[in-house]
Amino acid sequence: MSNQFQLFKRRRFSAMFFTQFLGAFNDNIFKQALILVLTYTAASKLGVEVSILNNLAAMLFILPYFLFSALAGQIADKYEKSKLTQFIKLLELVIMAVAAVGFVFEWYALLFVALFLMGTHSTFFGPIKYAYLPQAMKEDELVGANGLFQMGTSLAILVGMIVAGILTQLSQSLYWISATVLVVAVLGYLAARYIPNMPAMQPDLKINWNIITTSLATVRYLYSLPFLFFIILGNSWFWFYGATFLTQVPEFSKVILLGDESVVIFLLTLFSVGVSIGSVLCKTLTKNKVSLRLLPFGIAGLSIFAIDLYFSLSGLDINVNNDTLLGIGDLFNISGSWRVFADLFLLGFSGGLYIVPLYASMQAYAPKSHRARIVGANNIFNAIFMVTSAIFAIVILNVLGFTLPQLFLVTGLLNIVFGAFLYIKLNKHIKHAVIQTNDGIAP
């Protein structure tokens, strides 16, 4: 297909795209609104430290990925995907109704329950959407479809966070938040109803409901496929890397750039738009082929611009009077700020070049009968790496006493080591892998 945006004319693509976009959008409206409510309202009412509440929220959302990813992969392999998606989207509507009650009555325990349930919802939807793409797309559409999905996810996260920030500033904000998450959940269910029937890949599969043995068996199976194992390590490193940077954006916006809330949103927008453009360009740059040829460029960019961000932040000289925080317009006039902005955009752009080839390869090389379970294993590793990134940042900043720019420098240097290791391993094992196509397998 000459233009990947023409995929939006195909119901087999657009229905799943908007279903997953609205799901990610709702996740981030709810999560960000909850974090803002916890930060500015609940912490003082409950007499609990803000950091404790926010870290508890982050843990509750990620925990289902550890617990249920392997089970979710089995279910997605066993059952037809359109009906399964519609059922999961109905559950989202119920979960958002629970969240709405929690917001309106300020029952924070109920909001934490809803957060765990939304994490569970996302855990069960993930293997479906990524196993769906190689089944629904033609061979020359897979890279383009993945690029659009990655673009959609990045924009959904960003816009969801912005919308949450706007809603929390309105009068009767808790009612607005409740209504919004319910409406978006309804729209997600309606989009899911247009997903075409997609036959189960292993309908005779006997599901193991023991989440511990299932998770161990899934990881063992993945380890028996070395190429896919290292692909998933590469995917998870992207989540480690992104979480390490994006988690620090609010702090370095305020502490280093002396910027207000609008600066935080602007920097997150730069990164997200960079990821989106890099993701969409992958189709053109790989000439529609599932290929790792862009991976070295993505690895190089992630290191070069992280290291340059250290130098650009270290070279800034910003002085303000009376603890006044700067807006975006003020920062534009400060010497060196444009270099910081360019580094963040190009970090995102490099991330797009890095992650799309890996996701496309994961889908293309996964055995058809186990495709959703491979995605489940991917989600387990993603969760592990994201938790590790939080521990890594705490150790670097709080235990070792490094500055934020130094954290970015260390991460960029680590990326060189990990990137070289990953590329060597993938090149070693790709010759023994086979690519799964819609018509069979090919070398």
Side-chain angles (χ1 to χ4, degrees):
M1 180 170 289
S2 59
N3 182 352
Q4 67 212 83
F5 290 97
Q6 290 180 11
L7 285 171
F8 283 108
K9 297 177 181 178
R10 309 282 189 266
R11 184 162 66 96
R12 57 191 164 86
F13 174 81
S14 57
M16 182 59 85
F17 176 90
F18 287 111
T19 300
Q20 71 91 28
F21 178 90
L22 290 164
F25 181 53
N26 219 16
D27 269 354
N28 285 277
I29 293 175
F30 175 56
K31 279 193 300 181
Q32 188 69 8
L34 178 57
I35 286 171
L36 291 171
V37 168
L38 293 175
T39 300
Y40 292 103
T41 307
S44 57
K45 285 187 177 181
L46 299 174
V48 180
E49 289 287 333
V50 172
S51 60
I52 292 174
L53 289 176
N54 285 347
N55 284 323
L56 176 61
M59 183 193 72
L60 281 173
F61 190 81
I62 292 174
L63 184 60
Y65 287 91
F66 286 113
L67 297 177
F68 306 127
S69 285
L71 178 62
Q74 288 185 84
I75 291 172
D77 275 332
K78 180 175 176 64
Y79 295 105
E80 191 276 318
K81 293 181 180 62
S82 66
K83 295 293 187 295
L84 192 56
T85 302
Q86 290 163 25
F87 175 73
I88 288 172
K89 288 293 146 180
L90 275 178
L91 289 181
E92 180 186 356
L93 190 52
V94 173
I95 295 165
M96 288 296 97
V98 171
V101 173
F103 275 124
V104 169
F105 292 99
E106 297 185 55
W107 293 343
Y108 301 115
L110 191 61
L111 286 170
F112 279 123
V113 169
L115 184 66
F116 177 81
L117 292 174
M118 272 306 281
T120 304
H121 155 272
S122 298
T123 300
F124 279 88
F125 181 53
I128 298 171
K129 68 178 180 182
Y130 283 117
Y132 172 92
L133 278 182
Q135 196 174 349
M137 299 297 107
K138 297 175 183 175
E139 187 180 354
D140 65 348
E141 295 173 337
L142 189 57
V143 174
N146 271 280
L148 291 173
F149 258 54
Q150 191 62 48
M151 176 196 74
T153 302
S154 297
L155 294 180
I157 291 170
L158 174 67
V159 178
M161 292 172 68
I162 293 172
V163 168
I166 293 170
L167 292 175
T168 53
Q169 299 303 308
L170 300 175
S171 61
Q172 303 294 318
S173 60
L174 297 178
Y175 289 91
W176 279 105
I177 294 166
S178 301
T180 301
V181 295
L182 281 169
V183 168
V184 176
V186 170
L187 293 174
Y189 172 70
L190 292 175
R193 289 186 62 85
Y194 287 91
I195 297 172
N197 187 284
M198 205 56 59
M201 297 310 296
Q202 199 173 354
D204 298 328
L205 174 67
K206 184 177 180 182
I207 293 176
N208 179 359
W209 296 94
N210 185 320
I211 58 176
I212 296 173
T213 58
T214 299
S215 298
L216 291 174
T218 301
V219 171
R220 269 198 305 270
Y221 176 73
L222 174 65
Y223 193 69
S224 72
L225 304 169
F227 181 71
L228 284 170
F229 176 75
F230 287 109
I231 285 283
I232 283 174
L233 280 189
N235 285 344
S236 299
W237 175 256
F238 176 78
W239 290 102
F240 173 96
Y241 194 95
T244 301
F245 275 80
L246 294 183
T247 303
Q248 317 309 324
V249 166
E251 187 176 350
F252 98 69
S253 297
K254 184 177 180 182
V255 174
I256 300 177
L257 300 181
L258 305 181
D260 60 18
E261 292 88 344
S262 67
V263 174
V264 178
I265 296 300
F266 176 68
L267 297 182
L268 290 172
T269 301
L270 279 176
F271 186 87
S272 298
V273 171
V275 171
S276 300
I277 293 173
S279 299
V280 169
L281 280 178
C282 283
K283 172 185 177 292
T284 303
L285 295 174
T286 60
K287 298 180 180 176
N288 270 350
K289 295 214 171 25
V290 176
S291 165
L292 296 176
R293 71 179 69 170
L294 292 180
L295 190 61
F297 298 98
I299 292 168
L302 287 172
S303 286
I304 290 168
F305 299 114
I307 294 168
D308 193 67
L309 184 61
Y310 162 76
F311 288 109
S312 60
L313 288 174
S314 301
L316 282 177
D317 183 19
I318 302 175
N319 294 303
V320 295
N321 298 320
N322 304 322
D323 296 325
T324 304
L325 292 177
L326 303 175
I328 299 167
D330 301 316
L331 278 174
F332 279 157
N333 296 320
I334 291 175
S335 175
S337 63
W338 282 86
R339 183 174 167 188
V340 174
F341 301 153
D343 283 334
L344 273 174
F345 172 80
L346 291 168
L347 271 172
F349 181 82
S350 302
L353 296 183
Y354 173 92
I355 195 61
V356 169
L358 289 176
Y359 266 112
S361 295
M362 178 181 72
Q363 294 160 11
Y365 283 87
K368 287 183 178 183
S369 59
H370 286 66
R371 195 176 273 147
R373 276 166 284 178
I374 293 293
V375 178
N378 177 69
N379 290 343
I380 293 172
F381 279 93
N382 286 354
I384 293 170
F385 273 61
M386 288 175 73
V387 171
T388 304
S389 93
I391 297 169
F392 169 73
I394 289 168
V395 170
I396 293 291
L397 296 172
N398 301 107
V399 178
L400 299 179
F402 283 28
T403 63
L404 284 174
Q406 287 170 337
L407 170 66
F408 300 149
L409 175 64
V410 170
T411 308
L413 293 173
L414 278 178
N415 184 69
I416 296 173
V417 177
F418 180 84
F421 163 79
L422 178 68
Y423 194 66
I424 290 168
K425 288 293 186 182
L426 290 176
N427 273 336
K428 175 183 176 183
H429 292 292
I430 193 170
K431 61 188 74 167
H432 301 298
V434 291
I435 187 167
Q436 307 288 320
T437 69
N438 290 327
D439 302 314
I441 59 174

